[in-house]
Amino acid sequence: MRKTLMSSTRITNSIMTGAIQENSKRRITMCSIPHINFTSYKFTAEQAKKKMRDFAFSAYRPVLIVLIALNTAVVPATAAFAAYLNSQGNWVDHISRFWGRLNLALSGVSMSVSGDEFIDENQPYIVMANHQSYYDVFALIGYLPLPLKWVMKMELRKIPIFGIACETVGHIYVDRGNSEKARKSLKAAGEKIRAGSSVVFFPEGTRSPYGKLQSFKKGGFVMALEAGVPILPVTVVGGRKILPKKSLRILPGDMKLIIHKPIPVDEYTYETREKLVERVRKAIEKDME
């Protein structure tokens, strides 16, 4: 009987000891820190620098927008005054080029230009380029080595100071909602070309939000045929990454101007203008990214 009691006691003690050990293991398991692979969270030095640059530029962006707004009011007004003082000179071209380059530099944009050897500075052109961002204007006006007049939509005429100043220095506004006024504007652009200025068209008519070429409007091609001057196709790369349509989130980056061989219009007529449109489109599109 005594042996039986002792045996029962040993069994009970053994069971209780096992239960205590099991509970201890569970508590340890529940309280232990889960394993995290911290190596996956490591940053390279370059990534860390990029994070810092992005943070710094985010803080600078509101200041940049104010600076662009201010110089876009002041510089065109200065150019208009220069045109009054030096109507036959090139002061306006130098001021406009400075404005374009200034805003690219303020925005941290690095520019590269290729194909400028195709340009004859004594030959006026109708310049046609793709359009994805406001920064396309800064790039073209800052780095295309030609005296330029712009064909602009009438809505821009309403911008205080800027609108009147652009008209004063000779840029041309087109009322796209009134075909008769649009024809008169294109006739005025033709007169600028005959006077020796190159005229810039965005044949898409507006900025592309998706980076693909939109359909081309024909007005610029008709004017080229009437004036008998070559078309200079230009591909602008990178503007959409700097500032896409319907955004104010400017980012630093790289842009390129790719200037293509001029396309003579002698072999085309009004009836075959669609072939000219397609040729210019292919020239611009082949180097788009």
Side-chain angles (χ1 to χ4, degrees), residues 10-28:
R10 287 194 198 100
I11 292 170
T12 302
N13 288 340
S14 177
I15 291 171
M16 290 178 67
T17 301
I20 292 169
Q21 289 176 346
E22 184 64 28
N23 287 335
S24 297
K25 286 180 182 179
R26 286 177 182 171
R27 281 196 294 270
I28 291 170

Side-chain angles (χ1 to χ4, degrees), residues 46 49 54 58 78-79 85 90 113 126 144 171 174-175 185 190 192 205 212 239-240 244 255:
E46 189 58 39
K49 287 179 183 178
D54 290 347
S58 295
T78 305
L85 296 176
N90 56 3
V113 181
I126 291 183
L144 202 60
H171 300 310
V174 174
D175 186 347
S185 298
K192 303 285 184 186
K212 302 294 184 183
R240 192 167 65 92
M255 288 187 70

Side-chain angles (χ1 to χ4, degrees), residues 141-166:
I141 207 167
Y143 286 91
L144 202 60
L146 289 168
L148 299 173
K149 302 300 180 189
W150 291 73
V151 175
M152 308 162 71
K153 59 186 179 182
M154 184 59 74
E155 290 85 343
L156 296 176
R157 175 66 174 75
K158 300 174 183 177
I159 299 175
I161 304 175
F162 176 85
I164 296 173
C166 286

